[in-house]
Amino acid sequence: MFTKKKPTIAVLTSGGDAPGMNAAIRAVVRSAIAREMKIFGVYHGYNGLIDGKFEEMQLRSVSDIMQKGGTMLYTARCPEFCTQEGIDKAVKMCYRYGIDGVVTIGGDGTFRGAGELSAAGVPCVGIPCTIDNDIACSEYTIGYDTAMNTAMRMVDNIRDTVQSHDRCNIVEVMGRHAGWLALNTGISCGASVVLVPEIEYDFDRDIHSKITSTFGTGKHHFIIVAAEGVGGLDEIAKQIIDKTGMEVRTTVLGHIQRGGSPTVQDRVYATEMGYRAVELLSEGKGNRVVAIKDGKMVDYDLNEALAMKKPFDYELFEIAHAVSI
Ligand code: ADP
């Protein structure tokens, strides 16, 4: 437990933005105030921690942000924070503002920074927030559900035109090095093929023969959903054109997946995680990350969390292919 009369904490968002970050900020600010803590919002991620871009938050500072994508605190990548000098500057700034703990909302990189800051004497608690769902310790990350729903709607739109023209469209969705977004988008849109970086594909076996057999059943349009980590989509398109004569388009959904109003699931998880992060700091627990395991809220040591590996859902991948005939 903090021994100071009025404990002071800070909250920041860092790395890639994700829908639900605002809901998490709101929960952190309101939970802190409910516990009679002083709470600072830090602008522009770790840059703000180094440069002292702090603003004391009040209950009404976070009104009307729950439904908005992006982050009211802005986010950034901060190479200086990867240096000892940068960490030292941030620690000094935290001491100047009397910060007893920091809630860091972001992805793996953000958590590595939080681990460094905790080791340097400022306890941090991380909240997993990325559309990629690529944080090993948590089966769910804030922003993932919204991004999946956005990608699904976009591919549904593409399907209309693909079907009308008897075309093939290869749709690239985000996910960095992970295929979660692609797999779930692919299933929910009835894609004929899903390509993910976790599983190597063979053009003849997984794409060409699938197109041929699909044609044989009377269907003349074809959607491939590929994770950005797969790469080489233009080459795949060229091979399809060369071998089948089909008209092929490629569509990169890009940052459209990062924005938008968060879904119920993202808002609820963000609220729960924000509340739990403040609770941990108030219990004097730092160097932790909040996570979801078996549908329940848990927390892990940050270093242990960063060392974990997330097994891909191979069974779901098999199901995707079993039904896309
Ligand atoms: P994400 O949090 O979405 O994974 P990044 O990987 O870009 O995004 O990381 C966000 C920020 O976290 C970086 O710009 C940097 O400031 C900080 N960070 C990343 N790795 C480290 C590290 N090893 N040590 C200290 N800070 C780090």
Side-chain angles (χ1 to χ4, degrees), residues 111-145:
F111 294 167
R112 274 191 284 279
E116 295 293 335
L117 195 59
S118 297
V122 181
C124 295
V125 176
I127 295 181
C129 200
T130 157
I131 66 163
D132 303 327
N133 197 30
D134 62 349
I135 294 181
C137 70
S138 188
E139 57 200 28
Y140 188 79
T141 61
I142 298 166
Y144 177 48
D145 188 55

PDB file of all heavy atoms in Angstrom, residues 111-145:
ATOM      1  N   PHE A 111       5.536  -2.368 -22.971  1.00  0.00           N
ATOM      2  CA  PHE A 111       5.775  -3.138 -21.746  1.00  0.00           C
ATOM      3  C   PHE A 111       7.273  -3.272 -21.454  1.00  0.00           C
ATOM      4  O   PHE A 111       7.681  -3.284 -20.299  1.00  0.00           O
ATOM      5  CB  PHE A 111       5.134  -4.528 -21.833  1.00  0.00           C
ATOM      6  CG  PHE A 111       3.636  -4.490 -21.885  1.00  0.00           C
ATOM      7  CD1 PHE A 111       2.902  -5.612 -22.238  1.00  0.00           C
ATOM      8  CD2 PHE A 111       2.944  -3.327 -21.580  1.00  0.00           C
ATOM      9  CE1 PHE A 111       1.521  -5.572 -22.293  1.00  0.00           C
ATOM     10  CE2 PHE A 111       1.560  -3.272 -21.638  1.00  0.00           C
ATOM     11  CZ  PHE A 111       0.850  -4.401 -22.001  1.00  0.00           C
ATOM     12  N   ARG A 112       8.077  -3.390 -22.508  1.00  0.00           N
ATOM     13  CA  ARG A 112       9.533  -3.442 -22.280  1.00  0.00           C
ATOM     14  C   ARG A 112       9.983  -2.133 -21.630  1.00  0.00           C
ATOM     15  O   ARG A 112      10.768  -2.127 -20.682  1.00  0.00           O
ATOM     16  CB  ARG A 112      10.285  -3.695 -23.594  1.00  0.00           C
ATOM     17  CG  ARG A 112      10.400  -5.191 -23.925  1.00  0.00           C
ATOM     18  CD  ARG A 112      11.360  -5.451 -25.062  1.00  0.00           C
ATOM     19  NE  ARG A 112      10.772  -5.101 -26.339  1.00  0.00           N
ATOM     20  CZ  ARG A 112       9.930  -5.886 -27.012  1.00  0.00           C
ATOM     21  NH1 ARG A 112       9.611  -7.081 -26.543  1.00  0.00           N
ATOM     22  NH2 ARG A 112       9.413  -5.487 -28.154  1.00  0.00           N
ATOM     23  N   GLY A 113       9.448  -1.031 -22.129  1.00  0.00           N
ATOM     24  CA  GLY A 113       9.753   0.275 -21.529  1.00  0.00           C
ATOM     25  C   GLY A 113       9.282   0.333 -20.084  1.00  0.00           C
ATOM     26  O   GLY A 113       9.989   0.825 -19.206  1.00  0.00           O
ATOM     27  N   ALA A 114       8.091  -0.209 -19.831  1.00  0.00           N
ATOM     28  CA  ALA A 114       7.535  -0.199 -18.472  1.00  0.00           C
ATOM     29  C   ALA A 114       8.397  -1.043 -17.535  1.00  0.00           C
ATOM     30  O   ALA A 114       8.580  -0.700 -16.356  1.00  0.00           O
ATOM     31  CB  ALA A 114       6.105  -0.728 -18.495  1.00  0.00           C
ATOM     32  N   GLY A 115       8.946  -2.120 -18.057  1.00  0.00           N
ATOM     33  CA  GLY A 115       9.834  -2.975 -17.262  1.00  0.00           C
ATOM     34  C   GLY A 115      11.098  -2.212 -16.863  1.00  0.00           C
ATOM     35  O   GLY A 115      11.543  -2.278 -15.712  1.00  0.00           O
ATOM     36  N   GLU A 116      11.636  -1.463 -17.836  1.00  0.00           N
ATOM     37  CA  GLU A 116      12.843  -0.664 -17.554  1.00  0.00           C
ATOM     38  C   GLU A 116      12.546   0.403 -16.505  1.00  0.00           C
ATOM     39  O   GLU A 116      13.340   0.636 -15.591  1.00  0.00           O
ATOM     40  CB  GLU A 116      13.341   0.023 -18.841  1.00  0.00           C
ATOM     41  CG  GLU A 116      13.822  -0.921 -19.931  1.00  0.00           C
ATOM     42  CD  GLU A 116      15.082  -1.676 -19.548  1.00  0.00           C
ATOM     43  OE1 GLU A 116      15.844  -1.169 -18.702  1.00  0.00           O
ATOM     44  OE2 GLU A 116      15.286  -2.793 -20.068  1.00  0.00           O
ATOM     45  N   LEU A 117      11.402   1.037 -16.650  1.00  0.00           N
ATOM     46  CA  LEU A 117      11.039   2.115 -15.717  1.00  0.00           C
ATOM     47  C   LEU A 117      10.803   1.558 -14.308  1.00  0.00           C
ATOM     48  O   LEU A 117      11.215   2.165 -13.317  1.00  0.00           O
ATOM     49  CB  LEU A 117       9.782   2.824 -16.243  1.00  0.00           C
ATOM     50  CG  LEU A 117       9.441   4.170 -15.619  1.00  0.00           C
ATOM     51  CD1 LEU A 117      10.580   5.175 -15.799  1.00  0.00           C
ATOM     52  CD2 LEU A 117       8.155   4.736 -16.242  1.00  0.00           C
ATOM     53  N   SER A 118      10.170   0.397 -14.242  1.00  0.00           N
ATOM     54  CA  SER A 118       9.946  -0.237 -12.933  1.00  0.00           C
ATOM     55  C   SER A 118      11.281  -0.565 -12.276  1.00  0.00           C
ATOM     56  O   SER A 118      11.479  -0.303 -11.082  1.00  0.00           O
ATOM     57  CB  SER A 118       9.134  -1.533 -13.089  1.00  0.00           C
ATOM     58  OG  SER A 118       7.852  -1.275 -13.606  1.00  0.00           O
ATOM     59  N   ALA A 119      12.217  -1.110 -13.091  1.00  0.00           N
ATOM     60  CA  ALA A 119      13.534  -1.478 -12.551  1.00  0.00           C
ATOM     61  C   ALA A 119      14.287  -0.240 -12.070  1.00  0.00           C
ATOM     62  O   ALA A 119      15.101  -0.314 -11.149  1.00  0.00           O
ATOM     63  CB  ALA A 119      14.343  -2.214 -13.619  1.00  0.00           C
ATOM     64  N   ALA A 120      13.987   0.909 -12.687  1.00  0.00           N
ATOM     65  CA  ALA A 120      14.675   2.145 -12.304  1.00  0.00           C
ATOM     66  C   ALA A 120      13.994   2.839 -11.119  1.00  0.00           C
ATOM     67  O   ALA A 120      14.395   3.922 -10.715  1.00  0.00           O
ATOM     68  CB  ALA A 120      14.735   3.087 -13.503  1.00  0.00           C
ATOM     69  N   GLY A 121      12.938   2.235 -10.578  1.00  0.00           N
ATOM     70  CA  GLY A 121      12.352   2.764  -9.347  1.00  0.00           C
ATOM     71  C   GLY A 121      10.965   3.369  -9.464  1.00  0.00           C
ATOM     72  O   GLY A 121      10.429   3.876  -8.483  1.00  0.00           O
ATOM     73  N   VAL A 122      10.379   3.348 -10.671  1.00  0.00           N
ATOM     74  CA  VAL A 122       9.007   3.860 -10.812  1.00  0.00           C
ATOM     75  C   VAL A 122       8.102   2.681 -11.186  1.00  0.00           C
ATOM     76  O   VAL A 122       8.114   2.208 -12.324  1.00  0.00           O
ATOM     77  CB  VAL A 122       8.916   4.957 -11.903  1.00  0.00           C
ATOM     78  CG1 VAL A 122       7.485   5.478 -11.998  1.00  0.00           C
ATOM     79  CG2 VAL A 122       9.894   6.092 -11.623  1.00  0.00           C
ATOM     80  N   PRO A 123       7.323   2.172 -10.230  1.00  0.00           N
ATOM     81  CA  PRO A 123       6.499   0.985 -10.506  1.00  0.00           C
ATOM     82  C   PRO A 123       5.493   1.231 -11.631  1.00  0.00           C
ATOM     83  O   PRO A 123       4.821   2.263 -11.638  1.00  0.00           O
ATOM     84  CB  PRO A 123       5.759   0.738  -9.186  1.00  0.00           C
ATOM     85  CG  PRO A 123       6.417   1.590  -8.165  1.00  0.00           C
ATOM     86  CD  PRO A 123       7.092   2.708  -8.879  1.00  0.00           C
ATOM     87  N   CYS A 124       5.426   0.278 -12.557  1.00  0.00           N
ATOM     88  CA  CYS A 124       4.488   0.419 -13.681  1.00  0.00           C
ATOM     89  C   CYS A 124       3.571  -0.790 -13.755  1.00  0.00           C
ATOM     90  O   CYS A 124       3.963  -1.902 -13.409  1.00  0.00           O
ATOM     91  CB  CYS A 124       5.250   0.483 -15.012  1.00  0.00           C
ATOM     92  SG  CYS A 124       6.275   1.937 -15.176  1.00  0.00           S
ATOM     93  N   VAL A 125       2.361  -0.545 -14.264  1.00  0.00           N
ATOM     94  CA  VAL A 125       1.443  -1.642 -14.595  1.00  0.00           C
ATOM     95  C   VAL A 125       1.024  -1.454 -16.052  1.00  0.00           C
ATOM     96  O   VAL A 125       0.594  -0.360 -16.450  1.00  0.00           O
ATOM     97  CB  VAL A 125       0.208  -1.666 -13.673  1.00  0.00           C
ATOM     98  CG1 VAL A 125      -0.762  -2.751 -14.118  1.00  0.00           C
ATOM     99  CG2 VAL A 125       0.622  -1.915 -12.222  1.00  0.00           C
ATOM    100  N   GLY A 126       1.150  -2.511 -16.841  1.00  0.00           N
ATOM    101  CA  GLY A 126       0.815  -2.437 -18.261  1.00  0.00           C
ATOM    102  C   GLY A 126      -0.599  -2.929 -18.541  1.00  0.00           C
ATOM    103  O   GLY A 126      -1.093  -3.849 -17.883  1.00  0.00           O
ATOM    104  N   ILE A 127      -1.235  -2.297 -19.521  1.00  0.00           N
ATOM    105  CA  ILE A 127      -2.544  -2.752 -20.020  1.00  0.00           C
ATOM    106  C   ILE A 127      -2.375  -3.111 -21.495  1.00  0.00           C
ATOM    107  O   ILE A 127      -1.984  -2.262 -22.293  1.00  0.00           O
ATOM    108  CB  ILE A 127      -3.611  -1.651 -19.854  1.00  0.00           C
ATOM    109  CG1 ILE A 127      -3.855  -1.349 -18.371  1.00  0.00           C
ATOM    110  CG2 ILE A 127      -4.913  -2.051 -20.541  1.00  0.00           C
ATOM    111  CD1 ILE A 127      -4.921  -0.292 -18.109  1.00  0.00           C
ATOM    112  N   PRO A 128      -2.646  -4.375 -21.872  1.00  0.00           N
ATOM    113  CA  PRO A 128      -2.434  -4.795 -23.265  1.00  0.00           C
ATOM    114  C   PRO A 128      -3.450  -4.174 -24.218  1.00  0.00           C
ATOM    115  O   PRO A 128      -4.644  -4.401 -24.087  1.00  0.00           O
ATOM    116  CB  PRO A 128      -2.586  -6.315 -23.224  1.00  0.00           C
ATOM    117  CG  PRO A 128      -3.287  -6.623 -21.950  1.00  0.00           C
ATOM    118  CD  PRO A 128      -3.140  -5.470 -21.024  1.00  0.00           C
ATOM    119  N   CYS A 129      -2.949  -3.404 -25.139  1.00  0.00           N
ATOM    120  CA  CYS A 129      -3.839  -2.657 -26.028  1.00  0.00           C
ATOM    121  C   CYS A 129      -3.222  -2.623 -27.420  1.00  0.00           C
ATOM    122  O   CYS A 129      -2.292  -1.864 -27.665  1.00  0.00           O
ATOM    123  CB  CYS A 129      -3.986  -1.255 -25.441  1.00  0.00           C
ATOM    124  SG  CYS A 129      -5.415  -0.363 -26.020  1.00  0.00           S
ATOM    125  N   THR A 130      -3.677  -3.462 -28.288  1.00  0.00           N
ATOM    126  CA  THR A 130      -3.211  -3.482 -29.673  1.00  0.00           C
ATOM    127  C   THR A 130      -4.202  -4.269 -30.514  1.00  0.00           C
ATOM    128  O   THR A 130      -4.746  -5.278 -30.049  1.00  0.00           O
ATOM    129  CB  THR A 130      -1.811  -4.119 -29.813  1.00  0.00           C
ATOM    130  OG1 THR A 130      -1.640  -4.586 -31.158  1.00  0.00           O
ATOM    131  CG2 THR A 130      -1.601  -5.299 -28.888  1.00  0.00           C
ATOM    132  N   ILE A 131      -4.421  -3.819 -31.743  1.00  0.00           N
ATOM    133  CA  ILE A 131      -5.391  -4.528 -32.592  1.00  0.00           C
ATOM    134  C   ILE A 131      -4.850  -5.888 -33.029  1.00  0.00           C
ATOM    135  O   ILE A 131      -5.585  -6.714 -33.542  1.00  0.00           O
ATOM    136  CB  ILE A 131      -5.778  -3.702 -33.846  1.00  0.00           C
ATOM    137  CG1 ILE A 131      -4.586  -3.514 -34.790  1.00  0.00           C
ATOM    138  CG2 ILE A 131      -6.392  -2.373 -33.462  1.00  0.00           C
ATOM    139  CD1 ILE A 131      -4.997  -3.083 -36.189  1.00  0.00           C
ATOM    140  N   ASP A 132      -3.545  -6.130 -32.823  1.00  0.00           N
ATOM    141  CA  ASP A 132      -2.921  -7.342 -33.358  1.00  0.00           C
ATOM    142  C   ASP A 132      -3.146  -8.583 -32.493  1.00  0.00           C
ATOM    143  O   ASP A 132      -2.886  -9.701 -32.941  1.00  0.00           O
ATOM    144  CB  ASP A 132      -1.404  -7.126 -33.513  1.00  0.00           C
ATOM    145  CG  ASP A 132      -1.093  -5.928 -34.390  1.00  0.00           C
ATOM    146  OD1 ASP A 132      -1.874  -5.673 -35.320  1.00  0.00           O
ATOM    147  OD2 ASP A 132      -0.080  -5.259 -34.141  1.00  0.00           O
ATOM    148  N   ASN A 133      -3.588  -8.412 -31.273  1.00  0.00           N
ATOM    149  CA  ASN A 133      -3.763  -9.513 -30.312  1.00  0.00           C
ATOM    150  C   ASN A 133      -2.498 -10.366 -30.203  1.00  0.00           C
ATOM    151  O   ASN A 133      -2.561 -11.587 -30.059  1.00  0.00           O
ATOM    152  CB  ASN A 133      -4.956 -10.404 -30.697  1.00  0.00           C
ATOM    153  CG  ASN A 133      -5.416 -11.281 -29.542  1.00  0.00           C
ATOM    154  OD1 ASN A 133      -5.278 -10.903 -28.377  1.00  0.00           O
ATOM    155  ND2 ASN A 133      -5.935 -12.446 -29.848  1.00  0.00           N
ATOM    156  N   ASP A 134      -1.352  -9.710 -30.250  1.00  0.00           N
ATOM    157  CA  ASP A 134      -0.083 -10.453 -30.284  1.00  0.00           C
ATOM    158  C   ASP A 134       0.682 -10.380 -28.965  1.00  0.00           C
ATOM    159  O   ASP A 134       1.893 -10.536 -28.940  1.00  0.00           O
ATOM    160  CB  ASP A 134       0.789  -9.941 -31.443  1.00  0.00           C
ATOM    161  CG  ASP A 134       1.152  -8.476 -31.289  1.00  0.00           C
ATOM    162  OD1 ASP A 134       0.571  -7.800 -30.427  1.00  0.00           O
ATOM    163  OD2 ASP A 134       2.024  -8.001 -32.043  1.00  0.00           O
ATOM    164  N   ILE A 135      -0.031 -10.139 -27.867  1.00  0.00           N
ATOM    165  CA  ILE A 135       0.654 -10.105 -26.573  1.00  0.00           C
ATOM    166  C   ILE A 135       0.488 -11.472 -25.910  1.00  0.00           C
ATOM    167  O   ILE A 135      -0.633 -11.920 -25.633  1.00  0.00           O
ATOM    168  CB  ILE A 135       0.112  -8.958 -25.705  1.00  0.00           C
ATOM    169  CG1 ILE A 135       0.501  -7.645 -26.401  1.00  0.00           C
ATOM    170  CG2 ILE A 135       0.660  -9.024 -24.288  1.00  0.00           C
ATOM    171  CD1 ILE A 135       0.083  -6.408 -25.705  1.00  0.00           C
ATOM    172  N   ALA A 136       1.633 -12.130 -25.691  1.00  0.00           N
ATOM    173  CA  ALA A 136       1.616 -13.544 -25.315  1.00  0.00           C
ATOM    174  C   ALA A 136       0.868 -13.828 -24.015  1.00  0.00           C
ATOM    175  O   ALA A 136       0.168 -14.828 -23.903  1.00  0.00           O
ATOM    176  CB  ALA A 136       3.043 -14.054 -25.222  1.00  0.00           C
ATOM    177  N   CYS A 137       0.987 -12.949 -23.036  1.00  0.00           N
ATOM    178  CA  CYS A 137       0.435 -13.268 -21.715  1.00  0.00           C
ATOM    179  C   CYS A 137      -1.092 -13.157 -21.668  1.00  0.00           C
ATOM    180  O   CYS A 137      -1.713 -13.627 -20.722  1.00  0.00           O
ATOM    181  CB  CYS A 137       1.067 -12.374 -20.652  1.00  0.00           C
ATOM    182  SG  CYS A 137       0.543 -10.655 -20.775  1.00  0.00           S
ATOM    183  N   SER A 138      -1.692 -12.533 -22.667  1.00  0.00           N
ATOM    184  CA  SER A 138      -3.132 -12.284 -22.589  1.00  0.00           C
ATOM    185  C   SER A 138      -3.848 -12.870 -23.802  1.00  0.00           C
ATOM    186  O   SER A 138      -3.427 -12.634 -24.937  1.00  0.00           O
ATOM    187  CB  SER A 138      -3.405 -10.775 -22.521  1.00  0.00           C
ATOM    188  OG  SER A 138      -4.770 -10.528 -22.259  1.00  0.00           O
ATOM    189  N   GLU A 139      -4.925 -13.592 -23.551  1.00  0.00           N
ATOM    190  CA  GLU A 139      -5.631 -14.145 -24.705  1.00  0.00           C
ATOM    191  C   GLU A 139      -6.425 -13.066 -25.448  1.00  0.00           C
ATOM    192  O   GLU A 139      -6.932 -13.316 -26.524  1.00  0.00           O
ATOM    193  CB  GLU A 139      -6.532 -15.321 -24.292  1.00  0.00           C
ATOM    194  CG  GLU A 139      -7.543 -14.988 -23.233  1.00  0.00           C
ATOM    195  CD  GLU A 139      -8.056 -16.237 -22.510  1.00  0.00           C
ATOM    196  OE1 GLU A 139      -7.326 -17.241 -22.412  1.00  0.00           O
ATOM    197  OE2 GLU A 139      -9.196 -16.175 -22.018  1.00  0.00           O
ATOM    198  N   TYR A 140      -6.468 -11.878 -24.872  1.00  0.00           N
ATOM    199  CA  TYR A 140      -7.213 -10.806 -25.527  1.00  0.00           C
ATOM    200  C   TYR A 140      -6.512  -9.460 -25.321  1.00  0.00           C
ATOM    201  O   TYR A 140      -5.983  -9.191 -24.241  1.00  0.00           O
ATOM    202  CB  TYR A 140      -8.632 -10.714 -24.946  1.00  0.00           C
ATOM    203  CG  TYR A 140      -9.476  -9.758 -25.735  1.00  0.00           C
ATOM    204  CD1 TYR A 140     -10.039 -10.144 -26.948  1.00  0.00           C
ATOM    205  CD2 TYR A 140      -9.622  -8.436 -25.329  1.00  0.00           C
ATOM    206  CE1 TYR A 140     -10.745  -9.251 -27.721  1.00  0.00           C
ATOM    207  CE2 TYR A 140     -10.330  -7.534 -26.099  1.00  0.00           C
ATOM    208  CZ  TYR A 140     -10.889  -7.951 -27.287  1.00  0.00           C
ATOM    209  OH  TYR A 140     -11.580  -7.063 -28.068  1.00  0.00           O
ATOM    210  N   THR A 141      -6.483  -8.639 -26.345  1.00  0.00           N
ATOM    211  CA  THR A 141      -5.923  -7.286 -26.198  1.00  0.00           C
ATOM    212  C   THR A 141      -6.975  -6.261 -26.635  1.00  0.00           C
ATOM    213  O   THR A 141      -7.720  -6.493 -27.590  1.00  0.00           O
ATOM    214  CB  THR A 141      -4.646  -7.101 -27.058  1.00  0.00           C
ATOM    215  OG1 THR A 141      -4.970  -7.295 -28.438  1.00  0.00           O
ATOM    216  CG2 THR A 141      -3.551  -8.077 -26.657  1.00  0.00           C
ATOM    217  N   ILE A 142      -6.998  -5.152 -25.951  1.00  0.00           N
ATOM    218  CA  ILE A 142      -7.995  -4.106 -26.247  1.00  0.00           C
ATOM    219  C   ILE A 142      -7.776  -3.587 -27.674  1.00  0.00           C
ATOM    220  O   ILE A 142      -6.645  -3.295 -28.062  1.00  0.00           O
ATOM    221  CB  ILE A 142      -7.869  -2.946 -25.231  1.00  0.00           C
ATOM    222  CG1 ILE A 142      -8.147  -3.442 -23.811  1.00  0.00           C
ATOM    223  CG2 ILE A 142      -8.815  -1.807 -25.587  1.00  0.00           C
ATOM    224  CD1 ILE A 142      -7.719  -2.467 -22.728  1.00  0.00           C
ATOM    225  N   GLY A 143      -8.829  -3.478 -28.418  1.00  0.00           N
ATOM    226  CA  GLY A 143      -8.767  -2.974 -29.793  1.00  0.00           C
ATOM    227  C   GLY A 143      -8.939  -4.070 -30.830  1.00  0.00           C
ATOM    228  O   GLY A 143      -9.335  -3.816 -31.968  1.00  0.00           O
ATOM    229  N   TYR A 144      -8.678  -5.290 -30.405  1.00  0.00           N
ATOM    230  CA  TYR A 144      -8.713  -6.434 -31.325  1.00  0.00           C
ATOM    231  C   TYR A 144     -10.124  -6.669 -31.873  1.00  0.00           C
ATOM    232  O   TYR A 144     -10.325  -6.847 -33.073  1.00  0.00           O
ATOM    233  CB  TYR A 144      -8.197  -7.647 -30.552  1.00  0.00           C
ATOM    234  CG  TYR A 144      -8.209  -8.966 -31.257  1.00  0.00           C
ATOM    235  CD1 TYR A 144      -7.708  -9.118 -32.545  1.00  0.00           C
ATOM    236  CD2 TYR A 144      -8.691 -10.107 -30.609  1.00  0.00           C
ATOM    237  CE1 TYR A 144      -7.703 -10.351 -33.169  1.00  0.00           C
ATOM    238  CE2 TYR A 144      -8.684 -11.342 -31.219  1.00  0.00           C
ATOM    239  CZ  TYR A 144      -8.202 -11.463 -32.503  1.00  0.00           C
ATOM    240  OH  TYR A 144      -8.195 -12.678 -33.110  1.00  0.00           O
ATOM    241  N   ASP A 145     -11.109  -6.632 -30.985  1.00  0.00           N
ATOM    242  CA  ASP A 145     -12.479  -6.919 -31.422  1.00  0.00           C
ATOM    243  C   ASP A 145     -12.980  -5.854 -32.395  1.00  0.00           C
ATOM    244  O   ASP A 145     -13.593  -6.180 -33.422  1.00  0.00           O
ATOM    245  CB  ASP A 145     -13.407  -7.000 -30.194  1.00  0.00           C
ATOM    246  CG  ASP A 145     -14.790  -7.497 -30.572  1.00  0.00           C
ATOM    247  OD1 ASP A 145     -14.883  -8.583 -31.174  1.00  0.00           O
ATOM    248  OD2 ASP A 145     -15.778  -6.787 -30.292  1.00  0.00           O
TER     249      ASP A 145
END
